[in-house]
Amino acid sequence: NLATGQRKTLVQGGSYPVYAGGFLFFGRGGQILAFTFDPDRLELTGEPQPVIDDVRMDPKNTGLAFFDVSPAGAAVYVPGFPKPRERDLVFLDRGGRASPVTAAKRAYFSPAVSRDGRQVAVIVEGLEDALWVLDVQSGTFNRLTFDMDVSTTAWSSDGHSIFFTGNADGPRSLYRIAADGSGKAELIFSRAEWWINDISPRPDGSGGMIAAQQSHGHDLFFVREASQEAEPFLATPSDERR
């Protein structure tokens, strides 16, 4: 409501809404869906119905879906939902020789090896970019997150937990979760106007360094877990990241 500033959530997990002919169309995971929509009461009816499959989208950044619907109900779209690219997960020695960590190919990114070398925390791209832990000896995977997109992983100094950034509450915030999958992710630090991209835990376990993206760029802060406060470490008009 432009006069009062009130907001009403219509769809969780959808993007790029288009209203036409009594329906609210939106994109989700490469699919266009539609609700029956009353624009006067701002209410949806029934369950969303699939309309078009395999639509090109930008699901992680802008939410843009390449489609439109005319007032008469004709739809136009660009096909080709981007599929995550599968990769090999390898160890690379100082001589540049690669050896496979696992034979399984997945859309890996942001791997982090535990201090004892027995486990690898890694993010696998998908409809949700999820955090997994691989046991190097057995080759088994354990998924740790389910309700958010995850990016940037780092092991705690004692090897019992993993720090990561995720967007469960909207902005990309700092979380910690037990490496064995027990318990839920714990929110360590969040600012509505910040986008946290890098993590570097302190060896003594008292907190860690983060790079936070703001309107002018990135600055470095130290976060103390006990206080959930961020102390500036290097904050200038320039862009600072580790």
Side-chain angles (χ1 to χ4, degrees):
N1 187 307
L2 296 179
T4 65
Q6 281 188 314
R7 298 184 180 189
K8 180 178 181 180
T9 301
L10 296 176
V11 177
Q12 292 280 3
S15 68
Y16 204 75
V18 174
Y19 174 73
F23 293 92
L24 180 67
F25 299 84
F26 63 94
R28 177 190 288 158
Q31 188 177 53
I32 303 303
L33 301 102
F35 270 108
T36 302
F37 179 58
D38 185 331
D40 297 320
R41 295 188 301 168
L42 301 180
E43 292 182 354
L44 303 173
T45 303
E47 296 295 324
Q49 300 300 314
V51 179
I52 311 171
D53 291 319
D54 192 33
V55 177
R56 184 175 299 177
M57 291 185 64
D58 179 16
K60 302 301 181 184
N61 297 305
T62 65
L64 175 64
F66 291 77
F67 87 104
D68 205 349
V69 183
S70 75
V76 60
Y77 71 99
V78 178
F81 182 67
K83 303 294 192 301
R85 186 178 66 183
E86 292 188 338
R87 305 176 180 92
D88 292 309
L89 192 63
V90 302
F91 284 126
L92 191 67
D93 67 18
R94 294 180 183 274
R97 293 176 292 272
S99 58
V101 182
T102 173
K105 284 180 173 287
R106 298 185 179 184
Y108 304 113
F109 75 97
S110 191
V113 183
S114 62
R115 293 198 171 202
D116 59 11
R118 297 179 180 179
Q119 299 180 91
V120 179
V122 65
I123 300 169
V124 178
E125 292 181 83
L127 292 181
E128 289 178 338
D129 293 345
L131 174 62
W132 296 70
V133 170
L134 168 66
D135 184 287
V136 174
Q137 185 172 7
S138 67
T140 58
F141 285 87
N142 184 24
R143 181 172 177 173
L144 302 187
T145 63
F146 295 88
D147 57 353
M148 68 181 90
D149 280 325
V150 172
S151 60
T152 313
T153 57
W155 286 84
S156 63
S157 56
D158 60 11
H160 296 320
S161 58
I162 300 167
F163 292 93
F164 66 91
T165 59
N167 63 352
D169 298 307
R172 188 183 291 172
S173 306
L174 180 61
Y175 293 84
R176 178 177 56 192
I177 193 168
D180 62 5
S182 61
K184 296 183 178 181
E186 174 190 3
L187 177 63
I188 300 298
F189 180 80
S190 181
R191 288 274 178 88
E193 67 276 16
W194 288 10
W195 191 262
I196 299 174
N197 286 310
D198 295 326
I199 317 163
S200 183
R202 283 189 62 166
D204 62 7
S206 63
M209 193 77 68
I210 63 171
Q213 184 178 2
Q214 302 167 78
S215 58
H216 64 272
H218 284 85
D219 290 322
L220 298 179
F221 295 86
F222 179 71
V223 173
R224 296 186 183 276
E225 291 188 45
S227 64
Q228 294 191 348
E229 293 294 325
E231 304 171 8
F233 177 79
L234 190 59
T236 75
S238 300
D239 200 41
E240 291 96 18
R241 294 187 64 173
R242 69 175 176 86

